[in-house]
Amino acid sequence: MASAAGRNAAATIRRTSAPRVVTISASYGAAGTVVGPRVAELLGLPYLERVMTPRVARGSRLGVETVADDERPERLFHRLAAALAGLPLVVGGTPPQPVEGLSTEEQVRNDVETSIQTLARTTGGVVLGRGGMVVLRERPGVFHVRLHGSKEARVRQAMRIEAIDEAEAARRLQETDRARALYLRRFYHCDADDLGLYHLVLDSATVPLDTCADLIVAAASAAWE
């Protein structure tokens, strides 16, 4: 059953002259980093990936040095979520620089939401991750997509895309899916698997990725007409 947030998020696409936005929520191995840029290219829109900015990284106990050394999106996302959960972190870097009146969690959330809302308000674009489907649930002209698939199929796809073995792909799947679920629960009290959050859900671990991109573009374009 869809949550209240989900019902509000994916009710209808209102006709609007506002900039057009596609949000893509993707589980690990569902190839969001492949499909997202392709959708942006086909629509002629900017692409906002889930990699955190240095300021957001500092707010989650990650230093600028760490971001530069390890920019793989799922690693940053996992570390951010671990920091928010109060889990042990063995990473170097600059300590948080608190803003008066705001907790570290609020600083992180504010920075992430600001980047999404600025894009949605100005140029439009394709947003991968970051809880975009929740942040923009009330905004006109936003089309929400979920990319998912069975664990087995996602492991196989991750092996192909990242050139890693099965054990490593399975480990990354477990860590990354857990981190992203934690992020959404902590900040937005929602579950990425709530289908009511989306207008379109695709098994991108089975459907060819170019076809997934084409389907998203076709569905979003039809909704915007």
Side-chain angles (χ1 to χ4, degrees), residues 16-180:
T16 176
S17 59
R20 294 176 174 182
V21 179
V22 175
T23 73
I24 299 178
S25 167
S27 53
Y28 178 81
T33 54
V34 176
V35 176
R38 178 59 176 158
V39 170
E41 179 184 6
L42 291 172
L43 290 172
L45 294 172
Y47 173 61
L48 180 63
E49 197 173 4
R50 61 167 60 92
V51 174
M52 302 301 171
T53 64
R55 179 164 181 246
V56 171
R58 283 196 299 273
S60 61
R61 305 179 199 170
L62 290 175
V64 175
E65 299 87 350
T66 305
V67 175
D69 291 342
D70 188 358
E71 293 185 337
R72 194 166 74 242
E74 63 270 16
R75 290 294 293 170
L76 293 177
F77 206 88
H78 174 68
R79 291 179 179 182
L80 170 63
L84 297 180
L87 300 178
L89 289 176
V90 186
V91 294
T94 307
Q97 303 298 317
V99 175
E100 185 176 356
L102 289 180
S103 68
T104 298
E105 289 187 10
E106 289 170 331
Q107 291 178 60
V108 172
R109 180 174 60 187
N110 286 351
D111 277 1
V112 171
E113 289 184 356
T114 296
S115 67
I116 294 172
Q117 291 166 348
T118 298
L119 177 137
R121 185 177 63 252
T122 56
T123 62
V126 176
V127 179
L128 176 62
R130 303 186 181 203
M133 72 288 196
V134 184
V135 175
L136 300 178
R137 65 182 178 270
E138 301 294 342
R139 190 169 189 87
V142 181
F143 191 80
H144 303 291
V145 177
R146 173 67 171 167
L147 302 180
H148 197 46
S150 71
K151 288 183 178 180
E152 295 78 13
R154 289 188 287 125
V155 164
R156 290 193 297 270
Q157 181 154 267
M159 291 170 62
R160 293 194 301 271
I161 292 174
E162 300 182 28
I164 54 179
D165 62 26
E166 183 176 0
E168 177 62 15
R171 185 190 67 79
R172 292 184 186 182
L173 183 146
Q174 181 177 8
E175 286 189 357
T176 307
D177 281 357
R178 175 177 176 272
R180 292 172 185 170

